[in-house]
Amino acid sequence: MSNYIATIGVEVHVELKTKTKIFSNSKNGYGQMANSLTNVIDLGYPGTLPTLNEEVLNLAIKAATVLNCKIRPEIHFDRKNYFYPDNPKNYQITQFATPIGYDGYVEIEVDGEKKKVYIEEMHIEEDTCKSTHRGVKTLLDFNRAGVPLIEIVTKPCMTNSKEAKAYLEKLKELLFYSDISDCKMEEGSMRADANVSIRKKESDPFGTKAEIKNIGSISNVGVSIEKEIERQAKIYDKGETFKPQTRRYDDKLGDTVLMRVKETGNDYRYFPEPDIPFVIVTDERIKNVKKTIPMLPDERREKYLSLGVSEINTTKLIQNRNLSDYFNHLLEEKISHQTASNLLLGDISAYLNKTEKDITDTTLSKERFIELVNLVSNSTLTSKNLKEILEIILESKDSIQSIMKSQGIENITDDKEIREVIQKIISENPESVEDYKNGHDRAIKYLMGQVMKETKGKANPKMANDILKEELQ
Amino acid sequence: MEKKLTKEEVLHVAELARIAVTDEEIKKYQVELKKLLDDVEKINEVEGYDDEILIAPWSNHTDLREDAEGEMLEPKQVLENAPRHSGNYIQVPVVIGESEGA
Amino acid sequence: MKYLDKTITEIHELLKSKKIKPIDLVEEAYENIEKSDLNAYITLNKEEAIKKAKELENVEVDDNLLFGLPIAVKDNICTKGLLTTCASHMLDNFLPIYNATVVDKINAANMIIIGKTNMDEFAMGSSSRTSYFGAPHNPWNTDKISGGSSGGSASTIAARDVLFALGSDTGGSIRQPASYTGIVGMKPTYGRVSRYGLIAFASSLDQIGPMTKNVYENALLLNVISGHDKMDLTSIKEQDEDYTRLIGKNIKGMKIAIPNFFVSDIVDNEIINKIKKTAKTLEKMGAKVDYIDMKYLNHAVTLYQIIAMGEASSNLARFDGIRYGHSKENPKDIRDLYFGTRAEGFGKEVKRRIMVGSYLLSGKNAREYFYKALSIRDDMKQEFTNVFKKYDYIIGPTTTTTAYLLTDPMDDPRKSFMDDVLVIPVNMAGLPGLNMPIGFDKDHMPIGMQIIANSCEEAKIYQLASALEKELNLDLNPWGGKKDE
C-alpha cells in the first residue's frame, strides 16, 4: 500500500439534556415504555404546530460558547424533506441557512502536540423516532421523536484516526461538563458520523468521499476510519475508483460495509420553516447562559496541577465529574490538595461505588472534609484507622475527632508520654541504635515499629517519628 | 403539438412526491404538469425586486416556551388511528437501511 | 318556527327570556340543512349537538350573543372525536384526538357545532368540486358552484341553514365562495386566528375566518375565534379587541384605492360596472375613491402557485398510511406503502399540486423558483404598505366572474388558480380582506366586492362594510321565501 494523506471530517449529533422536547412539551426521556412520551405534535398529527423550548436555545448557545463558535443573532429554522418511517412529518425541522453557531474550534492534544479542530457550524434540530426491525416488520417508538439535538460539523481538517478520537473525547468532555448532554454513545445520546477521503499529496484535489454513519463508540470511530483509509488505498493502488457512498461500521466484522451509493446527492428540498418566526438571540441571553458554564476540564486540570495534585489524580478527578465538582469547592482552602484527592479517589470512591451513592448523598460536608484532610495530613488519623471509621464519617454528622474518640481511636499527642516510651525503647534496643548511627536507615523503621507496638498504635506517628529522631541525636 | 413533459420527468416528480402513477396517468401528467410548470416560468418576467425574502407575514418573533412538562398521550391513544400496530408499537413493513436524515 | 331568520339580538333575547331553547335552534338547523339539500356537509354532528344543546339548558344565558347558536365548521379544522376528512379519501376515517384552538374557543363560547362542511380536497381548488364527497351546490342556482375551497360553509350560510360558519383562506378560499354565494366572508390578518388544528395546506398563507350572512355577525364571530395562542408561534400578540366597535360609524373622509388591475380586462364587464357603481355610492357616502397602479398584483398567481404548492408538498408529506388516515392494504414493502397509500388516498388535484410543489423545491429549483418567489413576495407586501400610507382601504371585485356551472370543464389545471387571481394578493401580504355582496348579475347571481385594509385593521374593514351594507340594503335570501312553500 502506498502512502496517502487522509482527510477526515466528523459530524456529531448530541441529544440535549432538557426536560421536554424541542417543539412540544412532552417529556424528553430515555428507556421508558414505548410510545408513552408523546403528544400529537411529536406524532406529526395533521394541524399541529411546533413551539420552541427555551432551554434548547440556551443549551445551543452554551454549546456554541464552549466550542468557541460565533453566535448568530437572528436564526430561523428550515424543513428538510425526506420520507422515512422514523420521520413523523416526513420532514425534519432543522437549521440549514442560519445555523446558530459557526466558525468555532476545539483544542486537542495528540502525541504531546496541540492542534485545533475547526468547527464549520453547529445547528439545532429534532430527533427522529426509534425503529426496531423484527423479521418482516419494523416497530416504531415515538418517544425519541422531537428530542432536541445539536449537530456539530467539523471542517475536513483531521488527518488520522487519533485526531478524530481525540476530538470526540474532547467534545464529549466539554459537552458533558457543561451539562449540555449526557453524551452516552451506548444510549445514542451522542452519535458520530465520519467523512473520509484520501489523496496522494496536499496539492491534489480531495479524493472521493465515503461517509461512515452512526458509529457506536469512540474507539470504533478510530477503527472504522483506519479500515476505511485502508479500503480506499487498496482501490486506488489497483488504479480503480469508487463512487461517493454511505457506509456503516459493522462491529462483528470489525470493518465498514456499504449501505448505499450516493447517486446524485440527496435532494432534501430544504426551505424555510414558515411555522416558526425568527428567533432573536439577544446579547443578554448569551451573557446569562455564559454565567451557567461551569469550570471546564482544561481549566480544572491546570488548577489541580498548580495546587500540587499529581498528574494521575488530576486525570482521575476530571474523569469523575461529581468528585471533581466536589473538589472544586476546596480549591481556595489551605489544605493538602494531594491528600484531599487521595482520599476522594481512594477510600471514599470505594465506599461510593460499594453503596452506589453520590458524594453529595453522604454526610461529608465541606467543613468535615477539611477536618478529615487535616487529620490525615498530620497523621492524627492513620489510614488503617480511617478505613475502620470511614462509613461512620460518611453517614453521621459528628465531627471526625468526636467519631475517633467514640470509636476508641485515641491518638497520643502528649509529647511527654511519647518521649517516655521512646526513651524506654531506645534503652532496650542498643543494637538498632548503633545501626542507625552507622547510617542504616532501616533501623529507624524498626524502632518506630516498636514504639507503635508499645503504644498499641495510638502514638501520633508523625510526632513519634520526630521525637525518635531527636532522641537518637 | 401540445407541449409535454417526458415520461421520465413525470416519473421523477412522482418519485419525489411518493405517489404511484399508472401509464395512463403518466400521459395525463405529461400535459397537465407541463402547463403548471410553464405557468411558474412567468416568475422570470418579474423585475425590480430586491433580495430580501418574506418567509411568512409574521408579526412577531418566536416566543420561547418554558421547559416544563405537559400532558402526554397514553400509548393506546397513539395507536388509535394507526392502521397497523403491535404491542405498544406502531408497525410498518420492514425498512432496510438506515435513515436518510438526522 | 324559523328562529334562525331573526336577527342575532332577537334570537338572543328569546334565549335569555327562555322563550326558546338552544335545542330549538339545533333542530331548526338540521331541518334547514335537510331541506336545502346542497351537499354542504360531509359530516353532521347531530347526536353531540343535541346533547350539547340540552346541556346548555342548565347554563345561564350570559351577555354573549352567540350563546347556544349553531355553527358549521369547515372539515379541515380538527374536532376531537368528530370526523375531520379534509374532503379526502386519505382522511375519510380520521377521528382527531385533539381539538383545534378555534374549536375550543367555539365550545367555550357555548356555541354548538352542527357539522363539518364540504370543501375542496385539502382546500385545493376553487369550486369545491375536488371534494371526495362531491361538490356542494349554490343555493342561488343549484346547478352552479358555490366556490371553493370553503364551498360548503358558503353554501350553508347563503341558504340560511345556520347563522355562523368557519372557513379557511389560503388564496381566497373564504372570500371567493362568499362572493359566489352572496355572503360576508372575512380572511383576517395572518396570525389573527390560531392555526393550531387547521390541517395545513400552505402554512405561510392559511388563515381561518368567519363566514356569515351579514357584517355584524361576522365581526361577532371573529371576536370569538381570534386571539393570541401560544400553540401557534405565528399568532399575533396584539391585545384582544371588539371587532364590532366601529360598526355604525360613518365613512366620511375615508380614502379608498381601486387598483387598475382589479378592473382590467380579466374581469367581466358586468362586475366592473357594479364595482364602479359601488365606488360612486361610496363617494356619495363621503369617501374619496382613486384608481391607482399597483406593482406585482399581476404576478400574485405565479407567486402563489410556487409558494402554495411548495409548502403543500411538504405539509402533505405526513400522510403516509403509518400513524393515521388511509393506508394501502397489504403493502409489499415500505415503498409500496408510501406510493400506494398516497396514490389511493389523494385525488388528482392534490396529487398534481404535490408533484409540482416537490419539483419546485428540488435541487437548484429551490433557488430559481421558491426563493425568488419569496423575494418578490417581500416586495409585494412592501407595495401594499406603501399604498396604505396614503389610503385607508383597497377595494375591488372579489372574483372575475360570478359562479359558473358545476358541469364546466375541469381539465385545465390552471383554471382553479385563475379563479382566485384577485384575492390571492391579500394572502401573500398577510392582510385582512373581506367579501361582501354588492348586487347581482343578469342571471341574479351574487356579485361580491373585497375590502382590504392594513394589518390588524379588521375593525376598520367592518366599519366600511357595514356602512355600505346598510346603504345597499340588498335582499340576500336565495329562496325568496319559496323554500317553505
Side-chain angles (χ1 to χ4, degrees):
Chain A
M1 184 175 93
S2 355
N3 280 326
Y4 290 91
I5 303 166
T7 305
I8 300 159
V10 175
E11 292 170 21
V12 175
H13 284 93
V14 183
E15 287 183 351
L16 301 179
K17 234 164 76 176
T18 54
K19 291 193 197 77
T20 65
K21 294 186 179 177
I22 176 166
F23 299 124
S24 92
N25 65 3
S26 56
K27 187 179 172 184
N28 172 7
Y30 178 80
Q32 315 248 333
M33 192 206 295
N35 290 313
S36 65
L37 305 180
T38 72
N39 62 24
V40 285
I41 299 169
D42 311 321
L43 293 170
Y45 253 67
T48 57
L49 296 170
T51 57
L52 182 60
N53 183 346
E54 178 166 28
E55 191 59 14
V56 172
L57 182 63
N58 290 344
L59 292 181
I61 292 169
K62 211 179 198 184
T65 307
V66 302
L67 301 176
N68 303 298
C69 284
K70 291 177 186 148
I71 296 171
R72 212 176 289 274
E74 183 180 85
I75 57 170
H76 70 258
F77 289 83
D78 298 279
R79 290 189 187 177
K80 178 177 178 176
N81 294 285
Y82 66 96
F83 282 85
Y84 208 78
D86 69 3
N87 187 12
K89 302 180 290 298
N90 287 319
Y91 63 81
Q92 179 195 33
I93 306 179
T94 178
Q95 291 194 279
F96 181 63
T98 59
I100 185 161
Y102 60 102
D103 279 356
Y105 67 88
V106 162
E107 213 164 43
I108 58 165
E109 198 176 310
V110 176
D111 298 332
E113 259 186 72
K114 285 200 171 151
K115 177 177 172 158
K116 275 180 182 170
V117 173
Y118 293 96
I119 311 283
E120 173 93 33
E121 54 102 346
M122 56 150 284
H123 62 260
I124 306 168
E125 62 185 26
E126 59 181 329
D127 209 345
T128 55
C129 90
K130 194 164 182 274
S131 41
T132 317
H133 309 298
R134 292 265 181 284
V136 294
K137 56 194 184 186
T138 292
L139 303 176
L140 304 174
D141 171 9
F142 290 81
N143 286 355
R144 201 183 68 185
V147 164
L149 293 176
I150 48 171
E151 180 174 354
I152 302 157
V153 182
T154 71
K155 292 200 163 128
C157 62
M158 288 166 275
T159 56
N160 58 55
S161 62
K162 272 189 187 172
E163 289 178 358
K165 282 197 291 184
Y167 163 70
L168 287 170
E169 292 288 1
K170 192 58 178 283
L171 189 66
K172 190 171 165 178
E173 202 178 75
L174 284 169
L175 299 175
F176 180 72
Y177 258 90
S178 5
D179 289 318
I180 291 167
S181 172
D182 286 337
C183 295
K184 289 182 182 161
M185 284 186 97
E186 65 283 7
E187 289 182 5
S189 65
M190 180 170 169
R191 314 195 275 272
D193 308 334
N195 287 306
V196 181
S197 71
I198 61 172
R199 56 184 163 166
K200 281 261 178 187
K201 330 186 272 295
E202 292 277 2
S203 55
D204 289 349
F206 288 118
T208 308
K209 202 163 76 173
E211 182 179 20
I212 315 162
K213 277 261 184 204
N214 239 328
I215 316 169
S217 71
I218 294 181
S219 62
N220 283 351
V221 170
V223 180
S224 57
I225 288 172
E226 281 157 28
K227 289 285 182 183
E228 185 54 26
I229 293 172
E230 229 173 83
R231 189 189 68 86
Q232 294 183 9
K234 269 185 201 155
I235 294 172
Y236 288 141
D237 282 349
K238 280 189 274 181
E240 293 168 2
T241 57
F242 61 95
K243 281 193 174 155
Q245 53 193 266
T246 304
R247 306 180 67 83
R248 62 179 177 82
Y249 181 72
D250 187 310
D251 225 341
K252 283 180 202 126
L253 288 174
D255 205 347
T256 67
V257 291
L258 180 70
M259 281 166 65
R260 62 177 177 271
V261 172
K262 295 185 180 178
E263 282 298 347
T264 44
N266 286 315
D267 192 351
Y268 288 128
R269 287 168 280 138
Y270 285 102
F271 73 98
E273 169 58 277
D275 288 331
I276 309 176
F278 291 111
V279 180
I280 305 297
V281 186
T282 61
D283 288 344
E284 198 189 343
R285 179 178 295 279
I286 297 173
K287 209 173 79 195
N288 288 335
V289 167
K290 279 184 178 167
K291 278 187 214 150
T292 66
I293 299 175
M295 197 192 289
L296 295 177
D298 280 353
E299 196 183 341
R300 290 183 196 225
R301 188 169 286 121
E302 204 177 301
K303 269 257 158 67
Y304 297 176
L305 291 172
S306 75
L307 289 168
V309 179
S310 67
E311 192 95 36
I312 180 146
N313 279 10
T314 297
T315 306
K316 279 188 182 167
L317 273 178
I318 289 170
Q319 281 165 356
N320 189 326
R321 167 79 195 275
N322 288 336
L323 291 183
S324 176
D325 283 349
Y326 186 85
F327 190 73
N328 278 3
H329 294 298
L330 304 162
L331 298 180
E332 304 297 321
E333 303 297 329
K334 290 202 167 53
I335 52 166
S336 162
H337 288 96
Q338 172 67 6
T339 305
S341 68
N342 277 336
L343 284 168
L344 285 174
L345 295 165
D347 293 330
I348 295 177
S349 281
Y351 168 86
L352 296 176
N353 287 338
K354 196 180 76 189
T355 55
E356 293 182 351
K357 275 187 190 166
D358 196 274
I359 182 85
T360 51
D361 300 333
T362 70
T363 57
L364 195 62
S365 64
K366 178 179 163 186
E367 290 67 33
R368 294 176 72 238
F369 185 60
I370 291 169
E371 185 193 1
L372 178 65
V373 173
N374 287 333
L375 288 170
V376 171
S377 325
N378 67 20
S379 304
T380 309
L381 182 58
T382 63
S383 70
K384 179 167 157 283
N385 287 335
L386 172 62
K387 281 190 172 52
E388 288 164 15
I389 60 167
L390 185 73
E391 253 184 65
I392 304 168
I393 292 176
L394 296 176
E395 288 167 18
S396 91
K397 288 181 176 167
D398 300 333
S399 76
I400 315 296
Q401 271 184 320
S402 69
I403 293 171
M404 284 168 65
K405 198 172 264 170
S406 68
Q407 293 304 307
I409 297 168
E410 286 168 50
N411 200 304
I412 305 169
T413 50
D414 181 18
D415 186 283
K416 208 173 128 203
E417 202 182 331
I418 295 173
R419 202 172 291 273
E420 273 168 19
V421 174
I422 285 173
Q423 282 163 353
K424 182 174 166 245
I425 297 294
I426 286 176
S427 65
E428 282 169 6
N429 294 285
E431 296 115 67
S432 294
V433 174
E434 198 59 29
D435 283 353
Y436 174 77
K437 287 187 172 151
N438 288 333
H440 294 292
D441 276 352
R442 263 212 335 229
I444 198 160
K445 280 194 179 139
Y446 173 77
L447 291 169
M448 262 302 284
Q450 295 302 308
V451 173
M452 295 315 276
K453 202 170 163 190
E454 185 68 26
T455 59
K456 299 197 175 81
K458 286 177 187 166
N460 181 314
K462 190 166 179 299
M463 283 177 73
N465 200 37
D466 291 349
I467 296 169
L468 182 60
K469 280 183 183 161
E470 253 176 64
E471 291 293 324
L472 286 169
Q473 289 308 314
Chain B
M1 206 185 87
E2 207 162 20
K3 287 192 286 182
K4 280 179 176 183
L5 294 184
T6 65
K7 192 179 163 191
E8 288 66 36
E9 285 169 324
V10 171
L11 285 171
H12 173 66
V13 293
E15 179 73 29
L16 289 175
R18 298 293 190 277
I19 294 172
V21 284
T22 62
D23 286 344
E24 206 176 310
E25 284 170 326
I26 292 173
K27 278 191 199 122
K28 247 176 39 204
Y29 287 133
Q30 283 180 281
V31 179
E32 292 174 1
L33 299 187
K34 178 67 182 162
K35 280 184 182 165
L36 289 172
L37 292 175
D38 282 347
D39 252 14
V40 302
E41 284 304 325
K42 287 186 194 143
I43 195 163
N44 294 314
E45 297 166 6
V46 188
E47 283 170 355
Y49 58 94
D50 62 34
D51 281 346
E52 196 73 31
I53 61 168
L54 180 79
I55 298 171
W58 298 321
S59 60
N60 36 259
H61 299 304
T62 283
D63 264 347
L64 299 166
R65 165 173 52 81
E66 191 195 339
D67 188 20
E69 239 179 80
E71 233 175 281
M72 289 184 283
L73 297 169
E74 297 289 328
K76 144 172 145 289
Q77 293 174 287
V78 175
L79 309 179
E80 221 166 80
N81 277 309
R84 295 171 197 84
H85 44 87
S86 162
N88 270 352
Y89 295 88
I90 289 179
Q91 188 187 314
V92 290
V94 75
V95 183
I96 304 143
E98 291 283 318
S99 176
E100 293 277 334
Chain C
M1 282 194 299
K2 293 309 273 174
Y3 298 115
L4 291 172
D5 272 349
K6 299 185 184 299
T7 69
I8 182 99
T9 21
E10 284 167 351
I11 299 172
H12 186 68
E13 280 313 314
L14 289 170
L15 281 168
K16 208 162 185 177
S17 59
K18 306 227 184 267
K19 292 202 174 90
I20 61 167
K21 294 175 188 162
I23 188 79
D24 300 325
L25 301 176
V26 168
E27 279 169 359
E28 187 184 323
Y30 285 119
E31 277 166 33
N32 290 344
I33 291 164
E34 206 175 307
K35 256 188 247 165
S36 302
D37 193 23
L38 297 164
N39 197 25
Y41 291 82
I42 291 171
T43 307
L44 291 176
N45 190 31
K46 225 165 180 169
E47 213 172 295
E48 282 299 313
I50 289 169
K51 204 174 117 199
K52 175 88 189 262
K54 290 204 167 141
E55 277 167 23
L56 287 180
E57 289 174 14
N58 304 316
V59 180
E60 205 189 328
V61 182
D62 52 16
D63 289 339
N64 164 23
L65 288 175
L66 306 186
F67 182 98
L69 284 165
I71 181 168
V73 175
K74 190 177 178 180
D75 210 21
N76 57 352
I77 296 172
C78 286
T79 42
K80 192 173 177 177
L82 176 62
L83 276 180
T84 301
T85 70
C86 271
S88 179
H89 182 36
M90 185 61 92
L91 289 177
D92 61 5
N93 62 355
F94 178 60
L95 282 172
I97 50 178
Y98 78 106
N99 268 338
T101 298
V102 286
V103 171
D104 281 339
K105 282 176 178 280
I106 285 170
N107 287 336
N110 291 316
M111 298 184 81
I112 300 166
I113 295 177
I114 214 82
K116 303 297 290 290
T117 56
N118 205 348
M119 54 184 276
D120 279 300
E121 184 182 5
F122 283 100
M124 297 180 186
S126 61
S127 61
S128 299
R129 289 183 295 172
T130 68
S131 169
Y132 180 65
F133 304 98
H137 301 250
N138 192 321
W140 292 95
N141 176 344
T142 52
D143 290 335
K144 291 195 167 176
I145 61 160
S146 56
S149 64
S150 310
S153 289
S155 177
T156 199
I157 293 294
R160 269 64 191 145
D161 295 337
V162 290
L163 265 55
F164 296 99
L166 292 184
S168 73
D169 190 315
T170 306
S173 284
I174 287 174
R175 292 158 291 151
Q176 179 256 54
S179 174
Y180 286 159
T181 56
I183 65 163
V184 178
M186 166 71 102
K187 184 209 89 77
T189 309
Y190 183 79
R192 193 56 115 171
V193 180
S194 170
R195 289 184 296 120
Y196 190 76
L198 169 68
I199 298 177
F201 160 14
S203 315
S204 77
L205 299 158
D206 294 345
Q207 184 62 197
I208 295 173
M211 300 173 82
T212 57
K213 68 177 193 289
N214 63 45
V215 175
Y216 179 56
E217 288 166 9
N218 202 279
L220 286 176
L221 184 53
L222 186 58
N223 278 348
V224 170
I225 60 174
S226 63
H228 180 247
D229 179 14
K230 59 183 179 14
M231 298 303 282
D232 176 0
L233 292 174
T234 64
S235 163
I236 292 175
K237 277 160 69 187
E238 302 280 314
Q239 288 233 304
D240 288 349
E241 56 178 291
D242 177 6
Y243 295 103
T244 65
R245 71 181 190 280
L246 301 179
I247 288 178
K249 291 203 168 174
N250 71 50
I251 54 160
K252 277 198 189 86
M254 290 291 190
K255 287 190 226 113
I256 298 171
I258 299 178
N260 289 318
F261 178 71
F262 281 179
V263 286
S264 64
D265 59 6
I266 55 169
V267 183
D268 278 0
N269 266 329
E270 218 179 344
I271 294 176
I272 294 179
N273 292 339
K274 189 67 79 184
I275 287 291
K276 290 189 168 167
K277 202 178 141 202
T278 307
K280 289 258 156 52
T281 307
L282 289 167
E283 281 178 331
K284 253 187 273 162
M285 293 164 71
K288 190 177 175 303
V289 182
D290 286 341
Y291 289 82
I292 62 162
D293 281 324
M294 264 185 88
K295 280 190 286 183
Y296 304 116
L297 289 184
N298 54 332
H299 297 294
V301 169
T302 307
L303 301 192
Y304 178 77
Q305 285 173 326
I306 295 170
I307 293 167
M309 287 194 275
E311 289 184 14
S313 72
S314 173
N315 283 328
L316 272 66
R318 69 187 65 199
F319 301 103
D320 57 11
I322 295 177
R323 286 144 297 133
Y324 42 71
H326 177 74
S327 188
K328 188 183 178 187
E329 297 267 352
N330 305 315
K332 287 203 302 283
D333 51 27
I334 188 73
R335 190 182 160 85
D336 190 29
L337 176 63
Y338 285 145
F339 283 75
T341 297
R342 292 165 66 80
E344 293 168 2
F346 291 136
K348 58 186 179 184
E349 177 76 26
V350 173
K351 286 185 201 173
R352 262 198 313 250
R353 294 196 188 192
I354 294 175
M355 285 196 268
V356 173
S358 305
Y359 174 80
L360 293 174
L361 287 171
S362 91
K364 61 181 188 339
N365 295 345
R367 288 270 150 225
E368 282 177 25
Y369 300 102
F370 198 80
Y371 280 85
K372 202 179 270 182
L374 296 185
S375 294
I376 302 167
R377 184 179 185 182
D378 182 59
D379 286 64
M380 188 164 155
K381 183 173 168 61
Q382 194 54 51
E383 180 74 1
F384 272 105
T385 307
N386 290 340
V387 172
F388 285 123
K389 280 178 190 157
K390 285 187 247 158
Y391 293 94
D392 297 294
Y393 303 101
I394 295 171
I395 63 166
T398 307
T399 53
T400 55
T401 66
T402 54
Y404 49 85
L405 289 169
L406 282 159
T407 49
D408 271 11
M410 285 179 78
D411 53 357
D412 186 350
R414 293 172 299 196
K415 166 77 176 147
S416 63
F417 294 104
M418 288 316 293
D419 283 347
D420 291 332
V421 61
L422 304 174
V423 273
I424 282 171
V426 163
N427 300 78
M428 281 295 146
L431 300 171
L434 169 139
N435 171 77
M436 63 178 297
I438 55 166
F440 298 90
D441 71 0
K442 60 182 186 305
D443 299 323
H444 206 67
M445 291 305 288
I447 293 172
M449 181 180 89
Q450 60 172 331
I451 305 172
I452 306 164
N454 211 346
S455 284
C456 296
E457 290 187 346
E458 287 87 349
K460 203 168 145 186
I461 292 181
Y462 287 129
Q463 179 185 358
L464 179 67
S466 65
L468 184 60
E469 180 182 54
K470 198 173 156 197
E471 181 72 26
L472 295 174
N473 193 24
L474 299 169
D475 177 6
L476 291 160
N477 188 342
W479 311 119
K482 280 179 291 182
K483 194 168 72 162
D484 280 331
E485 283 164 16

